[in-house]
Amino acid sequence: MQLSVIIVNYNVKYFLEQCLYSVLKASKHTNAEIIVVDNHSTDGSATYLPDKFPAVQFIWNKENVGFAKANNQALAVAKGSYILFLNPDTILPEDCFDQCISFFQQNPLAGALGIRMVDGSGQFLKESKRAFPSPLTSLFKLSGLTQFFPHSKILARYHLGHLPDNQNHEVDVLAGAFIMLPKNILQKVGSFDESFFMYGEDVDLSYRIQQAGYKNYYFADSTIIHFKGESTKKGSLNYVRLFYQAMSLFVKKHYSGGKASVFIFLVRVAIWVRALFAAGGKLLQRLGLPLIDAGLILMSFWVVKFWWSKQIRQEVNYSPQMLTIAFPVFTIIFLAASFFAGLYFKGYKPVQLFRAVFFSALILMSGYALLPEAYRFSRGILVFGILLALIGMWIARWLFVQWGLLLINDEDEEHRQTMVVANEKDFKIIGSLMELAGLQDRVLGRINNNTDNSAAALGNTNQLPHIINMYPVKEIIFCENGFSFKDIIQLIQTLPGTVRYKFHASQSTSIVGSDSSNISGEYVAADKKYRIGLSINKRNKWMADILLALILLASFPFHLFFQKRPRRFFKNLFHVLLTRKTWVGYALSNNDMPPLKKGILTSTGLPAALNHAPSVNLRSSDEWYASTYSILNDWKRVIRGYKYLSS
C-alpha cells in the first residue's frame, strides 16, 4: 500500500462528502486507502456517508476523543508507506498525491510535507507555513500585531510572512489540515501527542521531526482548498484560550528554564489583550449595537445641550426635564426609527447608517414641531445633537469593523445572483438541489465548463471575468464533473474577490462553500432538515418574538402615527407577548412541518388573508421558511410587512 489517507470527522458530513470525492479522484493513480475516524458526530454522518463510500474504512467513536487520539486510532491500522493526515473540510486537486510523493522521492531528507492552502474564496491561508512559537512570535500573533505587518520578518514570523507563498520552502511547522510523511519516520519520532486535545499537536509533531534530523517542507507546487470556518472561530476567546493552553503545553514539553517562563508570561499578556477584543465582540452580540447607540445618542444630546447653553444661548435656563424626560424619549424614538430603517440588520453598510439617521431626524423634527410651545427647548440642540450622534455612531462602527467585531455587509443576501459552472446534466442536478432549498430564483444561468459555447449557456469559463462584470453575479457554484478540481482551485484564485463560491462534486448530493476562513461554512443538501424544528431554534424564535414585541412596545408613539389600526396593532403585540401568536408563522395550517403558533404574518411576508397564491406555492414558501429559519429573516419579514401588523 503506497498511501494511507487519515481523516478525522466531527459534524461536517457535507464538507467531508466533497472531500472524499476529491480524495478518490486524487487516488486514481495511487495505491491508497482512506480511513475516516468519526468523533461521535451528531449530524447524521453515520447514516449519510457509509453507503456513499463503500471503499472507505470508517471508525465510529462513541465520544469525542480529540484530534490527536483519533488520528492515532487510524494510524494503528494504516498500511500505507506514506501517511496523510487530512482535515475533512478540504478539497484536493487530482494530481496532489502524485506530486507530493514525487517530492519525497526527490528529497530524501524531507521528513514531512505541508501544502499551499486557500480558503473557500480563493484567498491564501497564511498558516500554510509557520515558524516555531518563540515568546516574541507568539506574543505578536496573539496580540494582533502580525495583522498590521503581514510581511515583516520579525513581527510576522509566526506565519513566515516574508517568504513568498508560491515557492517551496523549508519551514518549521506544518498545518495539521494537511501533513504527509513517510510512515517509517512516524515510527521513529512517534505520532501525535494525545496530551494536545485541539491545536498544538501539529507544532509538536513538526518539532520532533526536526529534532530527529529531518526537514519540514512547505510545498507550493500544488494547492488545496481548506474551508477552515468549520473549526473554532479564530477571533473567539475560546480559540485564544485553547491556543494558549496548547502553546503552554508545547513550551513545558520542549523548552526549559527562563525561556519557558518568559514565554508563558508574554503569552498571558497577549491573552488579556485578545480577551478585551473578544469581550467587545460578546458585548456587541449580547447587548447589541442599539444599547451602544443609545449611550452615544444620549451623550450627544447632553454634550450639545451643555455647549449650547454655555456658548450660544447663555441667557436661557433650560429645564432639567430635558435630561430626565425629553432626551431619553428622543433616544427611544431615534432607535426605533433607525431599527425600522434597517440599521440593525446583519452586517453593516455606511449608507444604512446615514439613511437611518436621516429618517430618525425627520421623525424627531416633525414631532418637535408638533409639541406645544411650552415644551420646546431649542431646535439647534436637536439638530446638532443628531449630527454629533451620527458622527459618534459612524466612528464606533468604523472601529468595530477595524477590530473585526462587526462585518461589512456588501450585498443583501436575497439579491445574491448565482451562476453555475457545469455541463447540462449537472446543471439540472444543481437546479434540483437549489429548488429543495428554495433558492431556485437565484440561479441566473449556466456557464460551460470548457471552451465550447452552447446556446443554453451564458458563456464559458474563459469568459467568466467578463460575465461577472456584465451580470449582477455574487455567487458561482462549480461542478467538478468535466471540470477538474485542479482547474477549479486555480480559477477561483483569479476571479474578483467580490464573488462567493460553492462546490459540488460529481455524484454528491450537496453543495458546500465558505466565504471566509473565520466563519462557518454554508451548504445546500438534498436531506437538509427543517431548521425551525431544532429545539435551539424554537427557543430562539420565542425569545426573538418577545424581544421584538418589547422593542415595538417601547416605541409606542411611533406606531400611533404609522399604524392604520393602532388598537389592533397593540392587541397583536400583546398576543405575541403572551405567546398566543408568533410574528411569523406558516401560510398553510395543514402541513407536516414542525408546529408553530398562528402568525400575524406568514412565511410569504403577508397576513393569511392576503395569501391568494395557489396552495403549492404557499407550501413551497413554508418549506423554505422552515428549512432556512433565522431570527434575522423573521425580523426582516416584520420590517417589510410593518403595515400589516394591525391585520
Side-chain angles (χ1 to χ4, degrees):
M1 184 71 65
Q2 192 173 19
L3 175 67
S4 295
V5 182
I6 296 174
I7 304 173
V8 176
N9 176 55
Y10 183 67
N11 288 332
V12 287
K13 66 178 182 182
Y14 298 117
F15 285 86
L16 177 55
E17 177 187 17
Q18 303 300 318
C19 173
L20 288 174
Y21 279 118
S22 74
V23 169
L24 288 170
K25 290 199 72 174
S27 305
K28 189 174 182 180
H29 302 294
T30 305
N31 183 16
E33 64 176 353
I34 306 169
I35 306 171
V36 173
V37 183
D38 184 89
N39 263 339
H40 194 52
S41 294
T42 57
D43 64 348
S45 293
T47 56
Y48 183 78
L49 294 168
D51 290 342
K52 289 178 174 289
F53 302 101
V56 174
Q57 179 180 349
F58 289 93
I59 299 173
W60 305 100
N61 286 332
K62 295 183 179 180
E63 61 179 340
N64 185 352
V65 298
F67 180 80
K69 188 172 183 177
N71 273 305
N72 290 344
Q73 281 181 268
L75 183 62
V77 298
K79 303 180 182 67
S81 300
Y82 292 92
I83 304 295
L84 171 62
F85 297 110
L86 182 68
N87 269 26
D89 52 349
T90 55
I91 292 179
L92 279 55
E94 288 76 4
D95 61 352
C96 177
F97 296 160
D98 294 340
Q99 290 209 48
C100 290
I101 292 174
S102 175
F103 183 88
F104 276 111
Q105 293 170 346
Q106 296 171 24
N107 296 271
L109 287 179
L113 189 72
I115 202 164
R116 185 177 185 273
M117 300 186 293
V118 297
D119 65 17
S121 63
Q123 300 300 307
F124 174 69
L125 289 172
K126 56 185 181 293
E127 50 266 44
S128 301
K129 47 185 175 64
R130 288 181 290 168
F132 284 126
S134 70
L136 282 178
T137 55
S138 296
L139 175 64
F140 295 150
K141 188 247 195 275
L142 283 172
S143 64
L145 281 173
T146 299
Q147 298 178 13
F148 296 101
F149 304 96
H151 303 296
S152 169
K153 190 173 182 178
I154 298 174
L155 296 177
R157 177 165 174 73
Y158 185 84
H159 290 126
L160 300 174
H162 63 289
L163 297 180
D165 68 86
N166 57 354
Q167 296 177 13
N168 297 338
H169 298 286
E170 183 182 343
V171 296
D172 291 332
V173 178
L174 306 174
F178 184 108
I179 298 180
M180 183 182 286
L181 69 173
K183 188 176 183 180
N184 65 334
I185 290 182
L186 273 176
Q187 292 170 339
K188 291 179 183 178
V189 304
S191 186
F192 289 120
D193 184 342
E194 296 178 10
S195 302
F196 297 88
F197 183 84
M198 189 174 185
Y199 304 120
E201 64 283 313
D202 48 359
V203 181
D204 175 70
L205 179 59
S206 299
Y207 184 85
R208 286 186 279 117
I209 290 171
Q210 277 199 358
Q211 291 297 104
Y214 297 98
K215 296 180 180 181
N216 296 319
Y217 281 96
Y218 162 73
F219 187 61
D221 293 342
S222 185
T223 302
I224 71 170
I225 296 174
H226 181 204
F227 293 105
K228 261 190 89 251
E230 300 312 292
S231 57
T232 303
K233 294 182 180 179
K234 298 301 176 186
S236 71
L237 183 57
N238 187 47
Y239 163 72
V240 178
R241 179 180 61 82
L242 290 172
F243 182 87
Y244 163 72
Q245 291 175 347
M247 292 304 97
S248 298
L249 181 58
F250 175 82
V251 170
K252 291 174 183 177
K253 181 176 178 180
H254 296 293
Y255 297 165
S256 61
K259 189 175 183 179
S261 300
V262 171
F263 182 99
I264 298 297
F265 172 75
L266 290 177
V267 171
R268 281 178 177 169
V269 171
I271 285 289
W272 282 106
V273 173
R274 288 295 292 270
L276 290 175
F277 284 95
K282 291 296 183 182
L283 180 67
L284 286 182
Q285 292 172 13
R286 295 180 180 179
L287 301 182
L289 281 174
L291 189 59
I292 296 172
D293 286 346
L296 290 171
I297 296 165
L298 275 173
M299 184 178 68
S300 298
F301 282 137
W302 183 87
V303 168
V304 169
K305 182 259 179 187
F306 180 82
W307 171 75
W308 194 265
S309 62
K310 296 295 183 183
Q311 303 294 329
I312 306 299
R313 299 294 297 273
Q314 299 168 333
E315 73 281 3
V316 178
N317 290 321
Y318 293 104
S319 170
Q321 292 181 335
M322 286 179 62
L323 292 177
T324 59
I325 299 176
F327 288 170
V329 170
F330 282 0
T331 298
I332 291 173
I333 296 174
F334 198 119
L335 290 174
S338 298
F339 175 81
F340 284 99
L343 183 59
Y344 302 115
F345 284 169
K346 183 180 180 181
Y348 164 64
K349 290 189 290 187
V351 67
Q352 287 179 330
L353 177 62
F354 289 101
R355 182 176 62 224
V357 171
F358 174 79
F359 186 38
S360 305
L362 191 63
I363 294 175
L364 285 175
M365 296 301 293
S366 300
Y368 178 85
L370 297 174
L371 289 174
E373 190 68 32
Y375 293 98
R376 298 183 190 178
F377 42 91
S378 172
R379 188 176 284 106
I381 294 178
L382 191 58
V383 171
F384 284 102
I386 292 171
L387 289 175
L388 185 59
L390 169 62
I391 294 171
M393 290 191 291
W394 182 83
I395 292 174
R397 281 163 171 77
W398 181 83
L399 290 173
F400 293 153
V401 170
Q402 299 303 310
W403 295 337
L405 304 178
L406 187 63
L407 296 176
I408 290 287
N409 181 15
D410 61 350
E411 185 71 22
D412 197 344
E413 180 73 13
E414 69 179 40
H415 295 150
R416 186 195 300 182
Q417 290 294 300
T418 300
M419 282 190 175
V420 182
V421 178
N423 56 31
E424 291 189 27
K425 179 182 177 181
D426 279 344
F427 182 66
K428 292 179 181 178
I429 294 173
I430 294 297
S432 299
L433 289 173
M434 296 291 278
E435 186 175 1
L436 284 171
L439 302 173
Q440 65 273 20
D441 292 339
R442 286 186 182 177
V443 179
L444 194 61
R446 181 174 71 87
I447 302 296
N448 267 335
N449 51 14
N450 50 47
T451 56
D452 296 332
N453 280 320
S454 167
L458 296 172
N460 58 57
T461 51
N462 292 336
Q463 300 167 323
L464 255 181
H466 174 68
I467 293 171
I468 290 171
N469 291 328
M470 181 183 300
Y471 295 98
V473 180
K474 290 297 177 183
E475 180 179 75
I476 297 176
I477 298 174
F478 288 98
C479 296
E480 163 265 334
N481 191 25
F483 191 50
S484 72
F485 285 121
K486 182 176 180 178
D487 291 337
I488 293 172
I489 293 170
Q490 290 176 343
L491 186 58
I492 64 173
Q493 297 176 72
T494 64
L495 295 176
T498 56
V499 182
R500 305 169 183 181
Y501 308 114
K502 285 190 173 70
F503 307 88
H504 170 78
S506 176
Q507 300 179 317
S508 70
T509 54
S510 63
I511 308 167
V512 303
S514 178
D515 300 334
S516 164
S517 62
N518 294 320
I519 60 175
S520 296
E522 297 179 307
Y523 66 87
V524 176
D527 69 337
K528 193 171 184 180
K529 304 300 183 183
Y530 295 127
R531 293 187 63 191
I532 195 66
L534 299 176
S535 58
I536 187 172
N537 285 332
K538 291 179 181 179
R539 184 168 65 251
N540 287 344
K541 182 173 176 62
W542 172 77
M543 293 176 64
D545 276 354
I546 298 298
L547 178 60
L548 181 55
L550 291 173
I551 292 173
L552 294 175
L553 185 62
S555 56
F556 71 92
F558 178 87
H559 313 299
L560 294 175
F561 291 101
F562 290 92
Q563 283 290 340
K564 292 182 179 179
R565 295 187 292 174
R567 287 186 60 188
R568 170 64 66 175
F569 170 82
F570 286 106
K571 183 178 180 180
N572 284 339
L573 190 153
F574 282 105
H575 276 312
V576 173
L577 281 174
L578 297 173
T579 68
R580 295 174 182 171
K581 291 184 179 180
T582 181
W583 288 116
V584 181
Y586 293 131
L588 294 176
S589 57
N590 56 339
N591 57 47
D592 54 0
M593 285 172 281
L596 292 177
K597 299 284 186 181
K598 182 178 180 181
I600 295 166
L601 301 177
T602 67
S603 61
T604 64
L606 298 172
L610 297 181
N611 280 330
H612 302 307
S615 296
V616 63
N617 293 47
L618 298 180
R619 166 82 183 189
S620 296
S621 177
D622 285 347
E623 287 184 340
W624 162 235
Y625 174 75
S627 299
T628 62
Y629 167 76
S630 72
I631 293 174
L632 174 64
N633 288 336
D634 257 12
W635 284 32
K636 280 185 177 182
R637 284 180 173 86
V638 173
I639 301 302
R640 291 169 184 157
Y642 173 74
K643 63 181 179 180
Y644 301 118
L645 296 184
S646 57
S647 298

